[in-house]
Amino acid sequence: MTLVFGYGSNMDDGQMDTRCPNREKIGIAVLRNYRLCFPRLSQNRGCGVSSVEPAAGGEVWGVVHRLNEADLRSLDKSEGLRPGRGAEANGYNRISITVELKGSLIEVQTYIAVATKNPPAPNIQYLTHIRNGAQQHNLPDSYREWLAKL
């Protein structure tokens, strides 16, 4: 079993039900000193998609899921991560990070986008996944308000 921090559209229960039907939601968490960004063009979605990048004082809120091997492979595939090929050939790469969950620091996996040149802004459909996930998991009001302004 692997703990994975979902912060963008991977907070949306509908999307995650499709990608990882056996997941167990552990709880909401915050990734400190990072910020949400949109550095990659998704050919599938036709818009910019999210990632996180270091930013002093920043916070990215999300959901920690416990995934079995089949769900982890499914999520890797959805994120364009293929074992055996170079990091730059992937859409996203999975890395270890530390998040705060229920007052404790824990190590989890998350996905970091491989940036593309001149990515467009996210579209309303994509932002709706993120906003829905923030609402479904009752993320802090200030974060949901910030997402609403995107």
Side-chain angles (χ1 to χ4, degrees), residues 1-133:
M1 298 293 235
T2 303
L3 295 178
V4 175
F5 177 68
Y7 55 83
S9 64
N10 284 339
M11 294 188 297
D12 185 295
D13 282 339
Q15 177 173 289
M16 289 302 287
D17 286 346
T18 301
R19 292 179 174 187
C20 304
N22 301 303
R23 79 187 188 288
E24 176 188 354
K25 289 184 263 183
I26 303 301
I28 65 169
V30 62
L31 175 60
R32 299 204 188 275
N33 294 310
Y34 278 78
R35 73 178 189 96
L36 190 67
C37 59
F38 300 89
R40 179 170 186 77
L41 166 64
S42 167
Q43 296 294 335
N44 292 337
R45 296 184 188 269
C47 69
V49 289
S50 65
S51 190
V52 293
E53 64 185 9
E59 291 183 340
V60 177
W61 287 86
V63 181
V64 175
H65 306 277
R66 181 177 287 128
L67 304 181
N68 65 25
E69 284 303 311
D71 282 351
L72 185 62
R73 282 192 307 274
S74 173
L75 192 55
D76 282 351
K77 184 177 179 181
S78 293
E79 298 299 338
L81 173 60
R82 305 292 187 271
R85 69 179 180 189
E88 287 300 313
N90 289 320
Y92 282 80
N93 290 293
R94 189 162 29 95
I95 65 163
S96 293
I97 56 162
T98 300
V99 297
E100 184 179 322
L101 173 76
K102 300 175 186 168
S104 296
L105 297 177
I106 63 166
E107 188 170 320
V108 297
Q109 300 284 299
T110 200
Y111 294 88
I112 303 292
V114 175
T116 57
K117 262 189 165 177
N118 304 314
N123 64 27
I124 191 64
Q125 290 173 315
Y126 185 71
L127 288 173
T128 297
H129 281 296
I130 298 172
R131 292 171 182 152
N132 284 348

